[in-house]
């Protein structure tokens, strides 16, 4: 690169030798990556303290593109891998960036249990409503009646409402934004980077090639227009009211921001109470 | 009546499952298997296959659902590959132990790490000892035929065991080939309705899957070993019946230009077809090479292997997986073990090729044949070698 040429500030966080990336034109995952980098910059967090963990799928590829310590795990397992990283290195900021098929279907059990025990990891879930990497099968958030390769006349299964699932499982922070809401999405990521406990951000993202094409929802730009016209910001909304229907309103916002002891803090507290001086507290300090 | 048509091996398999009137398909998406279950879900949705398609949340669930549906007497099918097969691992042992005749296609793919979606046999080799009948297809027609056969064999009341049909990911799963598609009447005449040997039935209650205390565990495993070994007879019988019925012959071990061969190479799966080309080219040069294609992997066809190898002094074995830190090629090690007590046994030369989608061109087979002729001349057996390894 010649001197004086402008570089995108995002580039220094990415493995540019891996470019071009594999994501399709109009895909929302790149926007999420962009927001996350900007959140890292804004939060002034020590980047060397950040580790990105992702699973399998389109979003799973994020771990390979981030120029931080990253872990591209097996399908569905980024949360337990991240729990391992966090438990062995409580000083690190562990961020899971993965898709809804990975985190909520095959990895769903890990999701609810990590939230239940309040493991201090940040989970950013790109929700594009389908298993895009394998060609568009029906997934755990696919809206009722949406078309998928394994639901050729529309899904008849009830989808998960992710903020409700996260809240009821015990997450300390729950937000949902679309990739149209780049500032709010970035802000949510800054929030969670500074907040202890199991924090969850749902990033609703376009998938023009797989999900939208099959459901005749237009291209990436049209989906951004849809998000602009059909999203309603309702911070603090009851998460039970956040179901997503085909072509329906998408309620976005910050829904939950609460405090409770993290997994390691709870362990320290309980064992200190029981064992007194005999207990050596677990090092839990985080570089935030 | 059969129709000559062109289709992906994956679609051909799905059509075969439809012709077999499967009652339940439970599957999770994984490359390169996905086209099978996608096509099956279309066939179900279009009412062409009167079945329930269960889009489960993982392969662990897929195999668990399959055990449930098979236990109540439903003709059950699933398909997977690689990490998906590995995730099923725990449940894979349950199906044969409970005599559940599930049929599964495995679009063979390498295991992580590093993450690889491409073809080799590391997935199936890791599941060698699960107690399933395991067979390999070399092309789309075989994948189709063996799927139909798999239901017949699995549900044979002398067997009543699950059957895994292996076919190479991408090389077959995503390749369009000409196939002869039988019609439903012909398939129905070959495949009788499913009459389960054991089933959960409210009128005659049984418990499936309870604890086997040390008093009984050994005997249950003895039974499983005997059952799978004894499945050999019904396997040959049903394959012969398939040949008579459909006009396409299958044997536990098949040969190609092996009768007068001086050296033999053994392959499994789709690369057998490339190997046949390589054999033809050598034959044109007057070199007597021949091929063994190991079709049946479990139960292991010892006698067929002995017959096919005969008195030939050199046998090359091409593995598509590595047994790390062990005897290198998993297939080669079994072949060697099979011959250990035989007076007449070949020198076995081990090769591993085509890992994680690495292409195995004719020139690689030439390398292998050269090594076999070298052993024939010198009597020396080289160390196992990774063919196509970049130095």
């Amino acid at each position: 690169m010649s001197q004086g040429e402008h570089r995108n500030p995002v580039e220094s966080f990415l493995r540019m030798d891996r470019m071009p990336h594999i994501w399709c034109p109009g895909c929302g995952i790149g926007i999420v990556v962009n927001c996350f980098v900007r959140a890292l910059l804004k939060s002034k967090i020590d980047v060397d303290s950040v580790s990105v963990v992702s699973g399998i799928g389109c979003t799973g590829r994020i771990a390979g593109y981030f120029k931080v310590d990253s872990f591209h795990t097996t399908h569905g397992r980024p949360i337990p891998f991240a729990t391992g990283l966090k438990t062995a290195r409580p000083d690190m900021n562990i961020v899971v960036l993965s898709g809804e098929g990975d985190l909520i279907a095959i990895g769903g059990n890990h999701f609810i249990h990590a939230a239940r025990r309040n493991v201090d990891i940040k989970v950013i879930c790109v929700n594009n409503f389908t298993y895009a990497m394998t060609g568009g099968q029906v997934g755990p958030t696919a809206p009722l009646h949406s078309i998928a390769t394994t639901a050729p006349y529309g899904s008849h299964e009830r989808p998960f409402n992710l903020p409700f699932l996260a809240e009821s499982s015990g997450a300390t922070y729950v937000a949902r934004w679309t990739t149209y809401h780049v500032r709010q999405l970035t802000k949510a990521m800054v929030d969670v980077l500074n907040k202890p406990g199991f924090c969850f951000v749902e990033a609703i993202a376009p998938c023009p090639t797989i999900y939208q094409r099959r459901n005749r929802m237009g291209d990436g730009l049209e989906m951004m227009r849809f998000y602009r016209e059909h999203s309603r910001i309702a911070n603090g909304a009851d998460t039970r009211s956040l179901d997503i229907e085909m072509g329906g309103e998408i309620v976005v916002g910050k829904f939950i921001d609460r405090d409770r002891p993290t997994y390691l803090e709870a362990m320290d507290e309980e064992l200190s109470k029981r064992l007194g001086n005999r207990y050596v507290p677990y090092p839990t300090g985080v570089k935030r | 009546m059969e129709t000559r048509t062109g289709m992906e091996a994956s679609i051909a398999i799905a059509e075969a499952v439809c012709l077999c009137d499967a009652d339940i398909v439970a599957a999770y998406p994984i490359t390169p298997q996905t086209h099978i279950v996608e096509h099956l879900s279309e066939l179900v949705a279009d009412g062409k296959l009167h079945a329930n398609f269960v889009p489960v949340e993982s392969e662990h669930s897929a195999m668990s659902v399959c055990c449930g549906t098979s236990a109540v007497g439903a003709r059950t099918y699933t398909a997977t590959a690689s990490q998906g097969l590995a995730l099923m691992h725990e449940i894979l042992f349950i199906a044969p132990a409970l005599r559940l005749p599930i049929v599964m296609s495995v679009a063979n793919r390498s295991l992580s790490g590093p993450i690889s979606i491409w073809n080799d046999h590391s997935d199936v080799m890791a599941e060698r000892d699960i107690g399933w009948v395991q067979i390999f297809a070399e092309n789309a027609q075989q994948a189709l035929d063996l799927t139909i056969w798999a239901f017949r064999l699995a549900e044979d009341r002398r067997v009543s065991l699950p059957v895994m049909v292996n076919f190479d990911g991408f090389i077959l799963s995503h390749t369009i080939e000409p196939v002869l598609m039988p019609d439903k009447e012909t398939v129905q005449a070959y495949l009788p309705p499913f009459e389960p040997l054991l089933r959960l039935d409210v009128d005659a209650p049984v418990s499936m899957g309870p604890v086997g205390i040390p008093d009984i565990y050994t005997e249950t495993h003895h039974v499983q070993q005997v059952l799978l070994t004894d499945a050999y007879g019904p396997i040959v019988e049903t394959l012969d019946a398939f040949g008579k019925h459909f006009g396409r012959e299958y044997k536990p071990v098949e040969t190609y230009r092996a009768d007068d061969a001086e050296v033999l190479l053994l392959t499994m799966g789709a690369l057998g077809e490339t190997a046949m080309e390589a054999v033809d080219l050598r034959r044109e040069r007057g070199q007597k090479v021949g091929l063994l294609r190991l079709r049946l992997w479990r139960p292991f066809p010892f006698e067929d292997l002995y017959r096919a190898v005969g008195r030939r002094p050199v046998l090359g074995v091409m593995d598509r997986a590595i047994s790390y830190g062990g005897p290198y090629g998993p297939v080669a090690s079994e072949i060697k073990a099979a011959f250990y007590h035989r007076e007449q046994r070949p020198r076995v030369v081990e090769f591993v090729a085509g890992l994680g989608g690495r292409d195995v061109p004719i020139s690689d087979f030439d390398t292998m044949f050269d090594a076999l002729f070298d052993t024939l001349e010198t009597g020396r057996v080289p160390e196992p070698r990774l063919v196509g390894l970049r130095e």
Side-chain angles (χ1 to χ4, degrees), chain B residues 5-55:
Chain B
T5 180
M7 58 176 65
E8 272 184 10
S10 297
I11 306 300
I13 290 169
E15 289 287 340
V17 173
C18 184
L19 288 170
C20 292
D21 266 333
D23 298 313
I24 300 284
V25 178
Y28 186 77
I30 185 164
T31 305
Q33 157 278 133
T34 314
H35 290 184
I36 302 176
V37 291
E38 281 182 348
H39 191 62
L40 276 170
S41 58
E42 283 170 19
L43 292 167
V44 171
D46 285 337
K48 290 175 183 155
L49 172 61
H50 298 288
N52 196 321
F53 177 83
V54 194

Side-chain angles (χ1 to χ4, degrees), chain A residues 75 106 131 137 149-150 153 157, chain B residues 28-29 34 38 41 46 55 57:
Chain A
H75 195 22
I106 193 165
Y131 292 102
Q137 295 75 30
T149 58
T150 48
Y153 296 109
E157 297 185 12
Chain B
Y28 186 77
T34 314
E38 281 182 348
S41 58
D46 285 337
E57 63 283 350

Side-chain angles (χ1 to χ4, degrees), chain A residues 118-122 172 192 195-199 260-262 288:
Chain A
N118 201 23
V119 180
D120 186 14
I121 58 175
K122 317 304 147 196
T172 54
V192 299
K195 185 167 177 71
F198 185 93
C199 299
R260 66 188 184 95
T262 67
R288 284 210 169 90

Side-chain angles (χ1 to χ4, degrees), chain A residues 6-28:
Chain A
H6 290 295
R7 278 173 58 123
N8 189 321
V10 168
E11 281 185 19
S12 57
F13 288 85
L14 300 178
R15 299 182 196 278
M16 295 306 290
D17 55 323
R18 301 278 175 90
M19 299 294 141
H21 55 71
I22 57 128
W23 297 311
C24 304
C27 170

Side-chain angles (χ1 to χ4, degrees), chain B residues 65-330:
Chain B
V65 169
C66 286
C67 284
T69 58
S70 190
V72 293
R75 183 170 280 169
T76 300
Y77 174 82
T78 188
T80 192
S82 180
Q83 306 298 119
L85 185 65
L87 188 57
M88 285 180 179
H89 181 75
E90 179 191 20
I91 320 297
L92 291 175
F93 288 86
I94 306 300
L98 302 185
R99 308 284 303 273
L100 301 175
I102 298 160
V103 170
M104 171 163 66
S105 306
V106 178
N108 301 117
R109 164 186 149 182
S110 49
L111 287 172
S112 301
I115 296 166
S116 163
I117 59 167
W118 295 276
N119 164 246
D120 69 25
H121 292 173
S122 49
D123 55 0
V124 55
M125 288 303 149
E127 306 300 343
R128 191 186 60 173
D129 300 331
I130 53 175
W132 287 50
V133 174
Q134 300 184 30
I135 201 159
F136 280 75
E138 294 169 297
N139 56 42
Q141 184 70 57
Q142 294 178 8
L144 184 166
D145 289 348
L146 293 174
T147 304
I148 297 168
W149 165 82
F151 284 106
R152 165 82 184 257
L153 189 268
E155 295 170 8
D156 187 311
R157 291 166 69 94
R158 295 167 295 173
V159 179
S160 195
L161 287 172
V163 179
M164 178 195 294
V165 180
N166 292 279
F167 73 114
D168 290 275
F170 289 111
I171 296 176
L172 295 183
S173 67
H174 285 56
T175 304
I176 294 172
E177 292 187 2
V179 293
L180 293 165
M181 185 62 67
D183 65 18
K184 189 114 182 192
E185 288 69 38
T186 315
V187 172
Q188 278 173 340
Y190 175 72
L191 179 65
F194 180 25
E195 295 286 346
L197 181 69
L198 298 166
R199 70 194 290 185
L200 298 177
D201 181 351
V202 287
D203 295 327
V206 293
S207 288
M208 283 195 179
V211 173
I213 56 172
D215 258 1
I216 197 73
Y217 186 87
T218 303
E219 287 67 31
T220 62
H221 279 241
H222 170 69
V223 168
Q224 257 192 273
Q225 161 65 8
V226 169
L227 265 175
L228 188 53
T229 306
D230 287 356
Y232 178 84
I235 287 170
V236 174
E237 195 183 295
T238 48
L239 284 174
D240 285 348
F242 188 96
K244 288 194 185 79
H245 198 77
F246 294 93
R248 289 182 292 278
E249 302 278 341
Y250 294 100
K251 301 267 180 261
V253 176
E254 291 175 25
T255 57
Y256 183 71
R257 302 184 81 165
D259 288 348
D260 64 339
E262 290 172 343
V263 297
L264 289 173
L265 180 68
L266 182 144
T267 59
M268 286 167 86
L271 289 188
E273 303 229 320
T274 318
M276 286 187 238
E277 291 285 327
V279 166
D280 287 347
L281 290 169
R282 284 282 171 147
R283 287 274 176 173
E284 279 172 22
R285 286 154 58 186
Q287 295 179 335
K288 290 183 174 170
V289 299
L291 197 65
L292 301 189
R293 295 129 66 210
L294 187 59
R295 180 170 304 293
L296 184 64
W297 176 231
R298 284 295 182 273
F300 191 86
F302 292 98
E303 294 300 327
D304 300 75
L305 179 73
Y306 299 146
R307 269 197 304 279
V309 173
R311 305 178 71 82
R312 290 179 193 79
V314 177
L315 172 65
V317 178
M318 188 186 80
D319 260 289
R320 307 285 319 280
I322 299 177
S323 172
Y324 304 109
Y328 213 68

